[in-house]
Amino acid sequence: MLSFRNRIEKNDPEIIRQIAQSTGFFDDNDVQINVNIAENLLNQKDSNHKFLFADYMNKTVAYVCYGEIPDAKEGTYEIYWLSTLNEYRGLGIGRNLINKLITKLRKKGAHKIYLKTESKDLYAPTRKFYERCGFKLQAVLPGYYDDFDSCCIYALNLDERDSWGFYPEQYGAAE
Ligand SMILES: CC(C)(COP(=O)(O)OP(=O)(O)OC[C@H]1O[C@@H](n2cnc3c(N)ncnc32)[C@H](O)[C@@H]1OP(=O)(O)O)[C@@H](O)C(=O)NCCC(=O)NCCS
């Protein structure tokens, strides 16, 4: 049974380290950025980032780190980091977590969620994942991460219904 929690707990920085490392997508610096955000939140030194965790049978198996973008229009959020523990990938947990986040943010009056991801081949499944979650590619910043690795900016417009009258997360709920 999958459950979700917002509250960050003492062991979460280490859990986040293990989940991020397990994916094989992030270098040590990226992993440490995730851990530092969690530690700063625990020490109440950060109010711009939040986490939503997915727990499966009392084990934390995925997390998303997000926040409201301070200099953008009110209700504009960004997903900063997202990972599912490697052996739990492809089971629908990431999709459920994003759906939960969308529902939560919509209740808070959010209008838009942005995220940045990479153009290199390693991230092709990640881009596919976001597209399946309803995000649309908005812009590409060439050479942002590396000479041949561009930044792909995706957005989900929470005010938009599709041509069937459904909001994006309702696809997830129907499956
Ligand atoms: C991206 C990530 C968070 C997705 O989480 P997940 O739990 O594996 O995703 P799900 O099982 O919920 O998959 C949801 C959808 O994405 C698609 N998807 C997931 N992994 C995929 C893959 N390897 N190839 C193609 N599609 C994939 C699934 O087909 C599924 O779509 P469907 O439900 O319509 O069939 C996870 O794979 C991950 O941690 N990846 C490495 C780190 C990463 O890229 N983080 C994001 C950085 S921007």
Side-chain angles (χ1 to χ4, degrees), residues 23 25-26 80-85 88-96 115-118 123 125-126 128-130 132-133 175:
T23 67
F25 275 56
F26 305 119
Y80 298 115
W81 300 95
L82 170 70
S83 295
T84 298
L85 195 62
Y88 289 81
R89 277 168 62 190
L91 301 177
I93 292 169
R95 177 71 161 262
N96 274 283
L115 62 87
K116 295 190 302 195
T117 192
E118 303 188 31
Y123 281 83
T126 303
K128 176 105 198 264
F129 167 81
Y130 286 128
R132 299 285 278 167
C133 290
E175 279 167 1

PDB file of all heavy atoms in Angstrom, residues 23 25-26 80-85 88-96 115-118 123 125-126 128-130 132-133 175, ligand 1:
ATOM      1  N   THR A  23      19.557   5.641  -8.209  1.00  0.00           N
ATOM      2  CA  THR A  23      19.081   5.814  -9.584  1.00  0.00           C
ATOM      3  C   THR A  23      20.226   5.744 -10.590  1.00  0.00           C
ATOM      4  O   THR A  23      20.011   5.409 -11.754  1.00  0.00           O
ATOM      5  CB  THR A  23      18.369   7.175  -9.788  1.00  0.00           C
ATOM      6  OG1 THR A  23      19.325   8.231  -9.645  1.00  0.00           O
ATOM      7  CG2 THR A  23      17.230   7.357  -8.804  1.00  0.00           C
ATOM      8  N   PHE A  25      21.587   8.310 -11.743  1.00  0.00           N
ATOM      9  CA  PHE A  25      21.434   9.485 -12.604  1.00  0.00           C
ATOM     10  C   PHE A  25      22.186  10.699 -12.078  1.00  0.00           C
ATOM     11  O   PHE A  25      22.440  11.632 -12.817  1.00  0.00           O
ATOM     12  CB  PHE A  25      19.946   9.869 -12.719  1.00  0.00           C
ATOM     13  CG  PHE A  25      19.201   9.113 -13.781  1.00  0.00           C
ATOM     14  CD1 PHE A  25      19.166   7.729 -13.781  1.00  0.00           C
ATOM     15  CD2 PHE A  25      18.533   9.790 -14.793  1.00  0.00           C
ATOM     16  CE1 PHE A  25      18.474   7.032 -14.762  1.00  0.00           C
ATOM     17  CE2 PHE A  25      17.843   9.104 -15.779  1.00  0.00           C
ATOM     18  CZ  PHE A  25      17.813   7.726 -15.759  1.00  0.00           C
ATOM     19  N   PHE A  26      22.477  10.703 -10.792  1.00  0.00           N
ATOM     20  CA  PHE A  26      23.000  11.929 -10.181  1.00  0.00           C
ATOM     21  C   PHE A  26      24.440  11.749  -9.715  1.00  0.00           C
ATOM     22  O   PHE A  26      24.781  10.715  -9.133  1.00  0.00           O
ATOM     23  CB  PHE A  26      22.113  12.329  -8.995  1.00  0.00           C
ATOM     24  CG  PHE A  26      20.666  12.481  -9.371  1.00  0.00           C
ATOM     25  CD1 PHE A  26      19.693  11.687  -8.795  1.00  0.00           C
ATOM     26  CD2 PHE A  26      20.281  13.424 -10.325  1.00  0.00           C
ATOM     27  CE1 PHE A  26      18.356  11.819  -9.154  1.00  0.00           C
ATOM     28  CE2 PHE A  26      18.943  13.563 -10.683  1.00  0.00           C
ATOM     29  CZ  PHE A  26      17.984  12.765 -10.097  1.00  0.00           C
ATOM     30  N   TYR A  80      11.988  20.517  -8.213  1.00  0.00           N
ATOM     31  CA  TYR A  80      13.451  20.649  -8.257  1.00  0.00           C
ATOM     32  C   TYR A  80      14.138  19.296  -8.398  1.00  0.00           C
ATOM     33  O   TYR A  80      15.131  19.173  -9.100  1.00  0.00           O
ATOM     34  CB  TYR A  80      13.951  21.341  -6.989  1.00  0.00           C
ATOM     35  CG  TYR A  80      13.428  22.749  -6.808  1.00  0.00           C
ATOM     36  CD1 TYR A  80      12.588  23.074  -5.741  1.00  0.00           C
ATOM     37  CD2 TYR A  80      13.757  23.755  -7.714  1.00  0.00           C
ATOM     38  CE1 TYR A  80      12.106  24.363  -5.571  1.00  0.00           C
ATOM     39  CE2 TYR A  80      13.278  25.045  -7.548  1.00  0.00           C
ATOM     40  CZ  TYR A  80      12.454  25.348  -6.479  1.00  0.00           C
ATOM     41  OH  TYR A  80      11.962  26.615  -6.313  1.00  0.00           O
ATOM     42  N   TRP A  81      13.635  18.291  -7.692  1.00  0.00           N
ATOM     43  CA  TRP A  81      14.262  16.969  -7.700  1.00  0.00           C
ATOM     44  C   TRP A  81      13.180  15.898  -7.583  1.00  0.00           C
ATOM     45  O   TRP A  81      12.179  16.115  -6.896  1.00  0.00           O
ATOM     46  CB  TRP A  81      15.241  16.812  -6.515  1.00  0.00           C
ATOM     47  CG  TRP A  81      16.348  17.810  -6.544  1.00  0.00           C
ATOM     48  CD1 TRP A  81      16.384  19.007  -5.879  1.00  0.00           C
ATOM     49  CD2 TRP A  81      17.574  17.739  -7.287  1.00  0.00           C
ATOM     50  NE1 TRP A  81      17.542  19.671  -6.172  1.00  0.00           N
ATOM     51  CE2 TRP A  81      18.295  18.924  -7.022  1.00  0.00           C
ATOM     52  CE3 TRP A  81      18.131  16.786  -8.147  1.00  0.00           C
ATOM     53  CZ2 TRP A  81      19.540  19.172  -7.587  1.00  0.00           C
ATOM     54  CZ3 TRP A  81      19.368  17.039  -8.706  1.00  0.00           C
ATOM     55  CH2 TRP A  81      20.058  18.219  -8.422  1.00  0.00           C
ATOM     56  N   LEU A  82      13.447  14.773  -8.196  1.00  0.00           N
ATOM     57  CA  LEU A  82      12.488  13.666  -8.143  1.00  0.00           C
ATOM     58  C   LEU A  82      13.252  12.363  -8.334  1.00  0.00           C
ATOM     59  O   LEU A  82      14.063  12.263  -9.267  1.00  0.00           O
ATOM     60  CB  LEU A  82      11.467  13.832  -9.284  1.00  0.00           C
ATOM     61  CG  LEU A  82      10.536  12.662  -9.551  1.00  0.00           C
ATOM     62  CD1 LEU A  82       9.523  12.497  -8.412  1.00  0.00           C
ATOM     63  CD2 LEU A  82       9.780  12.867 -10.872  1.00  0.00           C
ATOM     64  N   SER A  83      13.022  11.414  -7.465  1.00  0.00           N
ATOM     65  CA  SER A  83      13.689  10.107  -7.598  1.00  0.00           C
ATOM     66  C   SER A  83      12.827   9.005  -7.026  1.00  0.00           C
ATOM     67  O   SER A  83      12.185   9.190  -5.992  1.00  0.00           O
ATOM     68  CB  SER A  83      15.007  10.062  -6.792  1.00  0.00           C
ATOM     69  OG  SER A  83      15.949  10.947  -7.277  1.00  0.00           O
ATOM     70  N   THR A  84      12.882   7.868  -7.686  1.00  0.00           N
ATOM     71  CA  THR A  84      12.299   6.629  -7.152  1.00  0.00           C
ATOM     72  C   THR A  84      13.450   5.651  -6.922  1.00  0.00           C
ATOM     73  O   THR A  84      14.340   5.534  -7.779  1.00  0.00           O
ATOM     74  CB  THR A  84      11.297   6.017  -8.155  1.00  0.00           C
ATOM     75  OG1 THR A  84      10.231   6.933  -8.367  1.00  0.00           O
ATOM     76  CG2 THR A  84      10.715   4.703  -7.647  1.00  0.00           C
ATOM     77  N   LEU A  85      13.426   4.982  -5.793  1.00  0.00           N
ATOM     78  CA  LEU A  85      14.444   3.969  -5.477  1.00  0.00           C
ATOM     79  C   LEU A  85      14.543   2.992  -6.642  1.00  0.00           C
ATOM     80  O   LEU A  85      13.514   2.511  -7.130  1.00  0.00           O
ATOM     81  CB  LEU A  85      14.035   3.250  -4.183  1.00  0.00           C
ATOM     82  CG  LEU A  85      15.083   2.407  -3.466  1.00  0.00           C
ATOM     83  CD1 LEU A  85      16.272   3.241  -2.987  1.00  0.00           C
ATOM     84  CD2 LEU A  85      14.432   1.692  -2.283  1.00  0.00           C
ATOM     85  N   TYR A  88      12.387   0.037  -7.341  1.00  0.00           N
ATOM     86  CA  TYR A  88      10.946   0.307  -7.350  1.00  0.00           C
ATOM     87  C   TYR A  88      10.525   1.125  -8.574  1.00  0.00           C
ATOM     88  O   TYR A  88       9.372   1.517  -8.693  1.00  0.00           O
ATOM     89  CB  TYR A  88      10.530   1.044  -6.071  1.00  0.00           C
ATOM     90  CG  TYR A  88      10.568   0.171  -4.841  1.00  0.00           C
ATOM     91  CD1 TYR A  88      11.767  -0.073  -4.182  1.00  0.00           C
ATOM     92  CD2 TYR A  88       9.419  -0.434  -4.353  1.00  0.00           C
ATOM     93  CE1 TYR A  88      11.822  -0.886  -3.062  1.00  0.00           C
ATOM     94  CE2 TYR A  88       9.449  -1.244  -3.226  1.00  0.00           C
ATOM     95  CZ  TYR A  88      10.658  -1.465  -2.586  1.00  0.00           C
ATOM     96  OH  TYR A  88      10.699  -2.275  -1.480  1.00  0.00           O
ATOM     97  N   ARG A  89      11.478   1.398  -9.468  1.00  0.00           N
ATOM     98  CA  ARG A  89      11.143   2.195 -10.658  1.00  0.00           C
ATOM     99  C   ARG A  89      10.270   1.389 -11.613  1.00  0.00           C
ATOM    100  O   ARG A  89      10.339   0.175 -11.655  1.00  0.00           O
ATOM    101  CB  ARG A  89      12.419   2.657 -11.358  1.00  0.00           C
ATOM    102  CG  ARG A  89      12.980   3.911 -10.699  1.00  0.00           C
ATOM    103  CD  ARG A  89      14.378   4.222 -11.162  1.00  0.00           C
ATOM    104  NE  ARG A  89      14.464   4.494 -12.585  1.00  0.00           N
ATOM    105  CZ  ARG A  89      15.612   4.605 -13.244  1.00  0.00           C
ATOM    106  NH1 ARG A  89      16.753   4.464 -12.610  1.00  0.00           N
ATOM    107  NH2 ARG A  89      15.607   4.865 -14.521  1.00  0.00           N
ATOM    108  N   GLY A  90       9.450   2.128 -12.362  1.00  0.00           N
ATOM    109  CA  GLY A  90       8.609   1.474 -13.372  1.00  0.00           C
ATOM    110  C   GLY A  90       7.379   0.787 -12.797  1.00  0.00           C
ATOM    111  O   GLY A  90       6.703   0.029 -13.495  1.00  0.00           O
ATOM    112  N   LEU A  91       7.078   1.023 -11.534  1.00  0.00           N
ATOM    113  CA  LEU A  91       5.918   0.361 -10.888  1.00  0.00           C
ATOM    114  C   LEU A  91       4.741   1.313 -10.701  1.00  0.00           C
ATOM    115  O   LEU A  91       3.754   0.956 -10.070  1.00  0.00           O
ATOM    116  CB  LEU A  91       6.337  -0.204  -9.517  1.00  0.00           C
ATOM    117  CG  LEU A  91       7.467  -1.226  -9.512  1.00  0.00           C
ATOM    118  CD1 LEU A  91       7.819  -1.637  -8.078  1.00  0.00           C
ATOM    119  CD2 LEU A  91       7.067  -2.463 -10.320  1.00  0.00           C
ATOM    120  N   GLY A  92       4.876   2.543 -11.192  1.00  0.00           N
ATOM    121  CA  GLY A  92       3.775   3.496 -11.054  1.00  0.00           C
ATOM    122  C   GLY A  92       3.903   4.412  -9.846  1.00  0.00           C
ATOM    123  O   GLY A  92       3.030   5.250  -9.606  1.00  0.00           O
ATOM    124  N   ILE A  93       4.997   4.254  -9.097  1.00  0.00           N
ATOM    125  CA  ILE A  93       5.139   5.049  -7.866  1.00  0.00           C
ATOM    126  C   ILE A  93       5.400   6.523  -8.196  1.00  0.00           C
ATOM    127  O   ILE A  93       4.783   7.422  -7.614  1.00  0.00           O
ATOM    128  CB  ILE A  93       6.255   4.455  -6.971  1.00  0.00           C
ATOM    129  CG1 ILE A  93       5.775   3.096  -6.449  1.00  0.00           C
ATOM    130  CG2 ILE A  93       6.616   5.398  -5.825  1.00  0.00           C
ATOM    131  CD1 ILE A  93       6.826   2.263  -5.765  1.00  0.00           C
ATOM    132  N   GLY A  94       6.265   6.786  -9.159  1.00  0.00           N
ATOM    133  CA  GLY A  94       6.557   8.170  -9.555  1.00  0.00           C
ATOM    134  C   GLY A  94       5.291   8.865 -10.048  1.00  0.00           C
ATOM    135  O   GLY A  94       5.014  10.018  -9.700  1.00  0.00           O
ATOM    136  N   ARG A  95       4.527   8.153 -10.834  1.00  0.00           N
ATOM    137  CA  ARG A  95       3.286   8.706 -11.377  1.00  0.00           C
ATOM    138  C   ARG A  95       2.307   9.063 -10.247  1.00  0.00           C
ATOM    139  O   ARG A  95       1.713  10.136 -10.227  1.00  0.00           O
ATOM    140  CB  ARG A  95       2.672   7.668 -12.313  1.00  0.00           C
ATOM    141  CG  ARG A  95       1.362   8.028 -12.923  1.00  0.00           C
ATOM    142  CD  ARG A  95       1.527   9.132 -13.974  1.00  0.00           C
ATOM    143  NE  ARG A  95       0.365   9.154 -14.838  1.00  0.00           N
ATOM    144  CZ  ARG A  95       0.306   8.570 -16.025  1.00  0.00           C
ATOM    145  NH1 ARG A  95       1.340   7.947 -16.511  1.00  0.00           N
ATOM    146  NH2 ARG A  95      -0.786   8.640 -16.738  1.00  0.00           N
ATOM    147  N   ASN A  96       2.169   8.154  -9.293  1.00  0.00           N
ATOM    148  CA  ASN A  96       1.281   8.400  -8.153  1.00  0.00           C
ATOM    149  C   ASN A  96       1.757   9.584  -7.325  1.00  0.00           C
ATOM    150  O   ASN A  96       0.947  10.381  -6.832  1.00  0.00           O
ATOM    151  CB  ASN A  96       1.203   7.153  -7.268  1.00  0.00           C
ATOM    152  CG  ASN A  96       0.149   6.195  -7.767  1.00  0.00           C
ATOM    153  OD1 ASN A  96      -1.034   6.423  -7.560  1.00  0.00           O
ATOM    154  ND2 ASN A  96       0.563   5.145  -8.442  1.00  0.00           N
ATOM    155  N   LEU A 115       9.473  22.383 -14.503  1.00  0.00           N
ATOM    156  CA  LEU A 115      10.626  21.572 -14.106  1.00  0.00           C
ATOM    157  C   LEU A 115      11.671  21.641 -15.216  1.00  0.00           C
ATOM    158  O   LEU A 115      11.350  21.950 -16.365  1.00  0.00           O
ATOM    159  CB  LEU A 115      10.216  20.120 -13.840  1.00  0.00           C
ATOM    160  CG  LEU A 115       9.636  19.323 -14.996  1.00  0.00           C
ATOM    161  CD1 LEU A 115      10.698  18.645 -15.834  1.00  0.00           C
ATOM    162  CD2 LEU A 115       8.675  18.286 -14.445  1.00  0.00           C
ATOM    163  N   LYS A 116      12.907  21.379 -14.804  1.00  0.00           N
ATOM    164  CA  LYS A 116      14.003  21.341 -15.771  1.00  0.00           C
ATOM    165  C   LYS A 116      14.547  19.920 -15.809  1.00  0.00           C
ATOM    166  O   LYS A 116      14.693  19.292 -14.767  1.00  0.00           O
ATOM    167  CB  LYS A 116      15.145  22.263 -15.325  1.00  0.00           C
ATOM    168  CG  LYS A 116      14.782  23.724 -15.303  1.00  0.00           C
ATOM    169  CD  LYS A 116      16.006  24.609 -15.100  1.00  0.00           C
ATOM    170  CE  LYS A 116      16.729  24.293 -13.838  1.00  0.00           C
ATOM    171  NZ  LYS A 116      17.695  25.239 -13.351  1.00  0.00           N
ATOM    172  N   THR A 117      14.831  19.445 -17.014  1.00  0.00           N
ATOM    173  CA  THR A 117      15.511  18.152 -17.106  1.00  0.00           C
ATOM    174  C   THR A 117      16.479  18.195 -18.284  1.00  0.00           C
ATOM    175  O   THR A 117      16.575  19.202 -18.972  1.00  0.00           O
ATOM    176  CB  THR A 117      14.509  16.982 -17.168  1.00  0.00           C
ATOM    177  OG1 THR A 117      15.213  15.755 -16.974  1.00  0.00           O
ATOM    178  CG2 THR A 117      13.744  16.935 -18.475  1.00  0.00           C
ATOM    179  N   GLU A 118      17.205  17.091 -18.472  1.00  0.00           N
ATOM    180  CA  GLU A 118      18.314  17.116 -19.439  1.00  0.00           C
ATOM    181  C   GLU A 118      17.916  16.492 -20.770  1.00  0.00           C
ATOM    182  O   GLU A 118      17.024  15.647 -20.829  1.00  0.00           O
ATOM    183  CB  GLU A 118      19.525  16.380 -18.841  1.00  0.00           C
ATOM    184  CG  GLU A 118      19.944  16.992 -17.526  1.00  0.00           C
ATOM    185  CD  GLU A 118      21.248  16.442 -16.975  1.00  0.00           C
ATOM    186  OE1 GLU A 118      22.137  16.045 -17.757  1.00  0.00           O
ATOM    187  OE2 GLU A 118      21.388  16.441 -15.733  1.00  0.00           O
ATOM    188  N   TYR A 123      18.332  10.576 -20.116  1.00  0.00           N
ATOM    189  CA  TYR A 123      17.094  11.157 -19.588  1.00  0.00           C
ATOM    190  C   TYR A 123      15.885  10.965 -20.506  1.00  0.00           C
ATOM    191  O   TYR A 123      14.818  11.496 -20.221  1.00  0.00           O
ATOM    192  CB  TYR A 123      17.293  12.650 -19.279  1.00  0.00           C
ATOM    193  CG  TYR A 123      18.016  12.873 -17.968  1.00  0.00           C
ATOM    194  CD1 TYR A 123      19.397  12.824 -17.899  1.00  0.00           C
ATOM    195  CD2 TYR A 123      17.313  13.090 -16.787  1.00  0.00           C
ATOM    196  CE1 TYR A 123      20.072  13.002 -16.699  1.00  0.00           C
ATOM    197  CE2 TYR A 123      17.966  13.268 -15.579  1.00  0.00           C
ATOM    198  CZ  TYR A 123      19.349  13.222 -15.546  1.00  0.00           C
ATOM    199  OH  TYR A 123      20.004  13.395 -14.351  1.00  0.00           O
ATOM    200  N   PRO A 125      13.939   8.329 -20.839  1.00  0.00           N
ATOM    201  CA  PRO A 125      12.791   7.789 -20.076  1.00  0.00           C
ATOM    202  C   PRO A 125      12.196   8.821 -19.121  1.00  0.00           C
ATOM    203  O   PRO A 125      10.983   8.826 -18.900  1.00  0.00           O
ATOM    204  CB  PRO A 125      13.405   6.625 -19.285  1.00  0.00           C
ATOM    205  CG  PRO A 125      14.686   6.297 -19.972  1.00  0.00           C
ATOM    206  CD  PRO A 125      15.172   7.565 -20.598  1.00  0.00           C
ATOM    207  N   THR A 126      13.051   9.690 -18.586  1.00  0.00           N
ATOM    208  CA  THR A 126      12.565  10.735 -17.664  1.00  0.00           C
ATOM    209  C   THR A 126      11.662  11.713 -18.406  1.00  0.00           C
ATOM    210  O   THR A 126      10.575  12.063 -17.938  1.00  0.00           O
ATOM    211  CB  THR A 126      13.767  11.479 -17.042  1.00  0.00           C
ATOM    212  OG1 THR A 126      14.597  10.525 -16.380  1.00  0.00           O
ATOM    213  CG2 THR A 126      13.312  12.541 -16.063  1.00  0.00           C
ATOM    214  N   LYS A 128      10.041  11.111 -21.119  1.00  0.00           N
ATOM    215  CA  LYS A 128       8.816  10.362 -21.440  1.00  0.00           C
ATOM    216  C   LYS A 128       7.884  10.311 -20.222  1.00  0.00           C
ATOM    217  O   LYS A 128       6.664  10.492 -20.333  1.00  0.00           O
ATOM    218  CB  LYS A 128       9.253   8.944 -21.862  1.00  0.00           C
ATOM    219  CG  LYS A 128       8.179   7.975 -22.155  1.00  0.00           C
ATOM    220  CD  LYS A 128       8.052   7.773 -23.643  1.00  0.00           C
ATOM    221  CE  LYS A 128       6.736   7.157 -23.976  1.00  0.00           C
ATOM    222  NZ  LYS A 128       6.508   5.886 -24.167  1.00  0.00           N
ATOM    223  N   PHE A 129       8.496  10.071 -19.066  1.00  0.00           N
ATOM    224  CA  PHE A 129       7.722  10.018 -17.820  1.00  0.00           C
ATOM    225  C   PHE A 129       6.958  11.322 -17.606  1.00  0.00           C
ATOM    226  O   PHE A 129       5.746  11.322 -17.357  1.00  0.00           O
ATOM    227  CB  PHE A 129       8.676   9.749 -16.640  1.00  0.00           C
ATOM    228  CG  PHE A 129       8.052   9.990 -15.301  1.00  0.00           C
ATOM    229  CD1 PHE A 129       7.239   9.037 -14.714  1.00  0.00           C
ATOM    230  CD2 PHE A 129       8.252  11.187 -14.631  1.00  0.00           C
ATOM    231  CE1 PHE A 129       6.639   9.266 -13.480  1.00  0.00           C
ATOM    232  CE2 PHE A 129       7.661  11.430 -13.399  1.00  0.00           C
ATOM    233  CZ  PHE A 129       6.850  10.465 -12.824  1.00  0.00           C
ATOM    234  N   TYR A 130       7.653  12.461 -17.727  1.00  0.00           N
ATOM    235  CA  TYR A 130       6.991  13.751 -17.498  1.00  0.00           C
ATOM    236  C   TYR A 130       5.885  13.986 -18.532  1.00  0.00           C
ATOM    237  O   TYR A 130       4.825  14.517 -18.204  1.00  0.00           O
ATOM    238  CB  TYR A 130       7.999  14.897 -17.526  1.00  0.00           C
ATOM    239  CG  TYR A 130       8.878  14.956 -16.292  1.00  0.00           C
ATOM    240  CD1 TYR A 130      10.263  15.003 -16.391  1.00  0.00           C
ATOM    241  CD2 TYR A 130       8.320  14.980 -15.017  1.00  0.00           C
ATOM    242  CE1 TYR A 130      11.065  15.068 -15.255  1.00  0.00           C
ATOM    243  CE2 TYR A 130       9.109  15.035 -13.878  1.00  0.00           C
ATOM    244  CZ  TYR A 130      10.485  15.077 -14.010  1.00  0.00           C
ATOM    245  OH  TYR A 130      11.261  15.139 -12.880  1.00  0.00           O
ATOM    246  N   ARG A 132       4.133  11.706 -19.990  1.00  0.00           N
ATOM    247  CA  ARG A 132       3.003  10.845 -19.598  1.00  0.00           C
ATOM    248  C   ARG A 132       2.237  11.446 -18.417  1.00  0.00           C
ATOM    249  O   ARG A 132       1.066  11.155 -18.228  1.00  0.00           O
ATOM    250  CB  ARG A 132       3.484   9.432 -19.224  1.00  0.00           C
ATOM    251  CG  ARG A 132       4.165   8.707 -20.349  1.00  0.00           C
ATOM    252  CD  ARG A 132       3.204   8.213 -21.381  1.00  0.00           C
ATOM    253  NE  ARG A 132       2.594   6.952 -20.994  1.00  0.00           N
ATOM    254  CZ  ARG A 132       1.549   6.424 -21.602  1.00  0.00           C
ATOM    255  NH1 ARG A 132       0.990   7.056 -22.610  1.00  0.00           N
ATOM    256  NH2 ARG A 132       1.070   5.282 -21.206  1.00  0.00           N
ATOM    257  N   CYS A 133       2.926  12.249 -17.635  1.00  0.00           N
ATOM    258  CA  CYS A 133       2.263  12.915 -16.489  1.00  0.00           C
ATOM    259  C   CYS A 133       1.563  14.206 -16.924  1.00  0.00           C
ATOM    260  O   CYS A 133       0.979  14.899 -16.094  1.00  0.00           O
ATOM    261  CB  CYS A 133       3.274  13.235 -15.398  1.00  0.00           C
ATOM    262  SG  CYS A 133       3.908  11.789 -14.534  1.00  0.00           S
ATOM    263  N   GLU A 175      -6.533   4.861 -14.089  1.00  0.00           N
ATOM    264  CA  GLU A 175      -5.802   3.663 -14.520  1.00  0.00           C
ATOM    265  C   GLU A 175      -5.789   2.575 -13.463  1.00  0.00           C
ATOM    266  O   GLU A 175      -5.991   2.841 -12.302  1.00  0.00           O
ATOM    267  CB  GLU A 175      -4.364   4.056 -14.875  1.00  0.00           C
ATOM    268  CG  GLU A 175      -4.326   4.640 -16.270  1.00  0.00           C
ATOM    269  CD  GLU A 175      -2.996   5.330 -16.570  1.00  0.00           C
ATOM    270  OE1 GLU A 175      -2.110   5.329 -15.705  1.00  0.00           O
ATOM    271  OE2 GLU A 175      -2.883   5.860 -17.672  1.00  0.00           O
TER     272      GLU A 175
HETATM  273  C1  LIG B   1      11.677   9.475 -13.423  1.00  0.00           C
HETATM  274  C2  LIG B   1      11.264   8.626 -12.232  1.00  0.00           C
HETATM  275  C3  LIG B   1      11.141   9.478 -10.987  1.00  0.00           C
HETATM  276  C4  LIG B   1       9.896   8.006 -12.564  1.00  0.00           C
HETATM  277  O1  LIG B   1       9.451   7.272 -11.443  1.00  0.00           O
HETATM  278  P1  LIG B   1       8.905   5.771 -11.612  1.00  0.00           P
HETATM  279  O2  LIG B   1       8.386   5.380 -10.275  1.00  0.00           O
HETATM  280  O3  LIG B   1       9.956   4.943 -12.218  1.00  0.00           O
HETATM  281  O4  LIG B   1       7.746   6.037 -12.700  1.00  0.00           O
HETATM  282  P2  LIG B   1       6.410   5.241 -12.972  1.00  0.00           P
HETATM  283  O5  LIG B   1       6.637   3.786 -12.750  1.00  0.00           O
HETATM  284  O6  LIG B   1       5.323   5.878 -12.199  1.00  0.00           O
HETATM  285  O7  LIG B   1       6.190   5.525 -14.511  1.00  0.00           O
HETATM  286  C5  LIG B   1       5.198   6.411 -14.944  1.00  0.00           C
HETATM  287  C6  LIG B   1       5.245   6.505 -16.437  1.00  0.00           C
HETATM  288  O8  LIG B   1       6.537   6.809 -16.950  1.00  0.00           O
HETATM  289  C7  LIG B   1       6.916   5.835 -17.913  1.00  0.00           C
HETATM  290  N1  LIG B   1       8.259   5.389 -17.652  1.00  0.00           N
HETATM  291  C8  LIG B   1       8.840   5.194 -16.454  1.00  0.00           C
HETATM  292  N2  LIG B   1      10.084   4.704 -16.618  1.00  0.00           N
HETATM  293  C9  LIG B   1      10.247   4.594 -17.956  1.00  0.00           C
HETATM  294  C10 LIG B   1      11.295   4.133 -18.764  1.00  0.00           C
HETATM  295  N3  LIG B   1      12.442   3.654 -18.242  1.00  0.00           N
HETATM  296  N4  LIG B   1      11.133   4.185 -20.098  1.00  0.00           N
HETATM  297  C11 LIG B   1       9.983   4.648 -20.656  1.00  0.00           C
HETATM  298  N5  LIG B   1       8.947   5.085 -19.921  1.00  0.00           N
HETATM  299  C12 LIG B   1       9.093   5.053 -18.603  1.00  0.00           C
HETATM  300  C13 LIG B   1       6.043   4.624 -17.664  1.00  0.00           C
HETATM  301  O9  LIG B   1       5.770   3.987 -18.906  1.00  0.00           O
HETATM  302  C14 LIG B   1       4.831   5.185 -17.040  1.00  0.00           C
HETATM  303  O10 LIG B   1       3.876   5.545 -17.990  1.00  0.00           O
HETATM  304  P3  LIG B   1       2.487   4.756 -18.026  1.00  0.00           P
HETATM  305  O11 LIG B   1       2.002   4.685 -16.596  1.00  0.00           O
HETATM  306  O12 LIG B   1       1.635   5.620 -18.864  1.00  0.00           O
HETATM  307  O13 LIG B   1       2.827   3.433 -18.596  1.00  0.00           O
HETATM  308  C15 LIG B   1      12.262   7.456 -11.923  1.00  0.00           C
HETATM  309  O14 LIG B   1      12.307   6.585 -13.017  1.00  0.00           O
HETATM  310  C16 LIG B   1      13.650   7.924 -11.557  1.00  0.00           C
HETATM  311  O15 LIG B   1      13.967   8.062 -10.372  1.00  0.00           O
HETATM  312  N6  LIG B   1      14.497   8.142 -12.590  1.00  0.00           N
HETATM  313  C17 LIG B   1      15.875   8.534 -12.377  1.00  0.00           C
HETATM  314  C18 LIG B   1      16.014   9.920 -11.812  1.00  0.00           C
HETATM  315  C19 LIG B   1      15.346  10.976 -12.651  1.00  0.00           C
HETATM  316  O16 LIG B   1      15.385  10.976 -13.861  1.00  0.00           O
HETATM  317  N7  LIG B   1      14.745  11.930 -11.938  1.00  0.00           N
HETATM  318  C20 LIG B   1      14.142  13.092 -12.536  1.00  0.00           C
HETATM  319  C21 LIG B   1      15.218  14.110 -12.770  1.00  0.00           C
HETATM  320  S1  LIG B   1      14.615  15.527 -13.638  1.00  0.00           S
END
